[in-house]
Amino acid sequence: MKESRHYIDLLLSDRQEPQLFANLTDEELLRIADVIERFCPKYRGRRLRRSIFRQTVLYRKALRLSAEGLSYCEVAKELGLQNSTAYFWLSGKSTPFTSFNIPEPNFDFGYLIGSGIGDGSVDSNGRQVQYSWLKDEDFATTIVESAKKLNIYGHKWFRRNWQAVVANVLISELVKVGKEDPLSLLPILRINKEVARGALAGWFDAEGSPGSFNANGYKYDSPRGRCCKKEVIELMGKLLDYLDIHYTTGEEMTKEEFISPRGGKRYKPKSEKIYYLRISRCCVIRFNKLIGFRIKRKMKALMTLIGESKFKEVC
C-alpha cells in the first residue's frame, strides 16, 4: 500500500501544476469553481463546460486512478470525461492548463485581483476586467503595467475619464469570485506574502483613502478602505492579519442620496450600510512600507500624514 501511494505521488509530481494551483486543495478549488460556474453564463449552456479550477481537480483524480491501474476509458467513465480528454491527459500530450495563460502568483497578480474587486467589472463572458471612470491616470497606468508584467493584454484610454481593460480569463474569473464570494479567494491570495501585498495595494488604490489630520496633528484619520460588501472587508482584514498589520473595522449608515460631483445627478446608494477598515495608528508606517499607494496624490497625502502626525514605528 505504501509503495502504491509512493508511486502515485511520483506520478503527480512528474505532471507539475502551475504554482497558482499546486498549493490549493481539491476542496478550495471546487469552492472557487462553484462560484465561477454559477455566475458566468458561458458555463450554463447546453454544452457541458468546466472552469479551469474544476478541471484541475478532475485532472488530479484522473492521474490517481490511472496510477491505481485503471485504463483511460475506465477513468473517463468514472469521472464523466470524454475518452479523448482522458487519453490526452494520461498520455501527457495535454493538460487542463494547456490553453490558459496562467500568471505567476506575485505582487502584480495580486494587484490585478485587488483593484478588480474594488473598481473593476467583469464582462458577461468572463474574459475581461473593465475599469471605468478612473479619476487618476497613474492608477490606470499601474493596472496596465501590472498586466504587461504578467504577459497579459492591458490597455488604457481617456474618454471623459480614464478607463482600462485587462484581458485574461483566469484574472477575470477570480475577480468575479472576489465580488460574489470574497472569502473563497483567501487560499489564493495567501499563497505568499507578495500576492497578499499586491491584493491589498490594488484594493486600497481603488477603495482606500490615505487619511487626514488637523493643523496640530493631534486629531487624525489613518488610512482606511470602504466597501458595501462586508465579506470584502473581512477578506482584506484577513490579508492584513497575514501581514501582521493591525486594523479596526466598523460600519456607517450611507446617505439617503448622493450627488455626482461631475454631472450633478442624484442617485440613491444600493446599500443602507457601508463597511470600513481602518489601519491602526501603530501600524501606519508598516502599512506604508508593505502596501502604501500607487496613486501619487494618495501617496503624497499619506506621507504628509505620517510626517505631520509624528507616527512612531511601534509594530
Side-chain angles (χ1 to χ4, degrees):
M1 183 65 183
K2 289 183 178 180
E3 291 179 358
S4 176
R5 179 68 261 173
H6 179 65
Y7 175 70
I8 294 172
D9 291 339
L10 285 176
L11 179 60
L12 291 173
S13 66
D14 287 340
R15 310 289 179 87
Q16 290 186 355
E17 298 176 3
Q19 188 180 352
L20 185 62
F21 295 91
N23 295 325
L24 300 178
T25 66
D26 290 356
E27 291 74 17
E28 291 166 344
L29 289 167
L30 289 175
R31 180 177 176 182
I32 295 172
D34 288 341
V35 178
I36 292 172
E37 293 169 6
R38 186 162 68 247
F39 289 100
C40 291
K42 65 183 178 182
Y43 296 113
R44 299 201 297 266
R46 292 182 180 180
R47 181 183 174 187
L48 178 61
R49 300 183 69 179
R50 301 181 178 94
S51 72
I52 180 63
F53 299 93
R54 192 176 302 279
Q55 288 186 55
T56 301
V57 175
L58 291 172
Y59 180 63
R60 291 175 178 177
K61 291 181 178 179
L63 293 181
R64 292 190 183 102
L65 291 173
S66 176
E68 293 171 0
L70 274 67
S71 68
Y72 76 86
C73 290
E74 292 172 324
V75 170
K77 184 176 180 180
E78 179 74 19
L79 300 179
L81 300 171
Q82 294 183 351
N83 285 346
S84 58
T85 300
Y87 170 75
F88 281 109
W89 283 2
L90 297 177
S91 64
K93 294 183 177 180
S94 71
T95 70
F97 319 110
T98 303
S99 59
F100 285 86
N101 179 7
I102 301 174
E104 290 294 319
N106 55 24
F107 181 92
D108 295 295
F109 168 77
Y111 191 89
L112 292 180
I113 302 298
S115 62
I117 292 173
D119 269 350
S121 61
V122 181
D123 70 335
S124 59
N125 291 323
R127 294 183 178 276
Q128 294 183 345
V129 183
Q130 301 162 344
Y131 301 81
S132 303
W133 304 105
L134 300 180
K135 182 178 181 179
D136 302 276
E137 180 184 4
D138 45 359
F139 186 24
T141 300
T142 302
I143 291 169
V144 172
E145 288 178 350
S146 291
K148 290 182 177 180
K149 288 177 184 177
L150 297 170
N151 295 319
I152 293 173
Y153 175 79
H155 178 63
K156 70 171 184 176
W157 67 96
F158 186 86
R159 189 170 60 194
R160 297 179 65 186
N161 246 320
W162 285 103
Q163 303 183 51
V165 65
V166 172
N168 180 269
V169 172
L170 190 73
I171 295 289
S172 301
E173 291 184 346
L174 289 177
V175 169
K176 187 66 175 177
V177 173
K179 288 181 173 292
E180 301 296 342
D181 185 13
L183 291 175
S184 64
L185 275 187
L186 189 60
I188 286 181
L189 298 183
R190 285 201 307 199
I191 283 181
N192 59 56
K193 292 191 175 182
E194 286 302 301
V195 173
R197 286 181 56 238
L200 286 164
W203 185 75
F204 270 94
D205 274 352
E207 302 282 28
S209 61
S212 59
F213 60 94
N214 69 357
N216 297 321
Y218 292 112
K219 294 182 180 180
Y220 71 95
D221 182 15
S222 57
R224 63 161 62 188
R226 292 183 174 91
C227 185
C228 291
K229 198 176 185 70
K230 187 176 182 180
E231 290 81 1
V232 172
I233 296 295
E234 292 175 358
L235 172 64
M236 298 304 161
K238 290 182 181 297
L239 295 180
L240 288 171
D241 288 334
Y242 180 51
L243 297 177
D244 295 322
I245 296 176
H246 301 153
Y247 63 93
T248 58
T249 59
E251 60 185 51
E252 302 169 338
M253 298 300 294
T254 57
K255 297 179 181 179
E256 294 182 359
E257 193 174 60
F258 286 93
I259 301 177
S260 170
R262 292 190 171 273
K265 183 179 179 181
R266 297 176 180 271
Y267 63 95
K268 293 183 178 180
K270 296 180 180 179
S271 174
E272 294 182 354
K273 293 181 179 180
I274 188 165
Y275 302 92
Y276 67 84
L277 179 154
R278 181 189 288 122
I279 303 301
S280 297
R281 184 183 182 98
C282 64
C283 283
V284 170
I285 293 180
R286 181 172 175 80
F287 170 84
N288 179 47
K289 287 183 176 179
L290 294 181
I291 301 168
F293 293 97
R294 303 304 175 276
I295 298 175
K296 292 178 182 177
R297 63 178 178 84
K298 291 186 177 183
M299 193 63 200
K300 182 179 179 181
L302 177 58
M303 295 306 296
T304 302
L305 172 68
I306 291 174
E308 295 293 333
S309 299
K310 299 177 181 179
F311 288 113
K312 295 181 180 180
E313 191 168 3
V314 178
C315 294

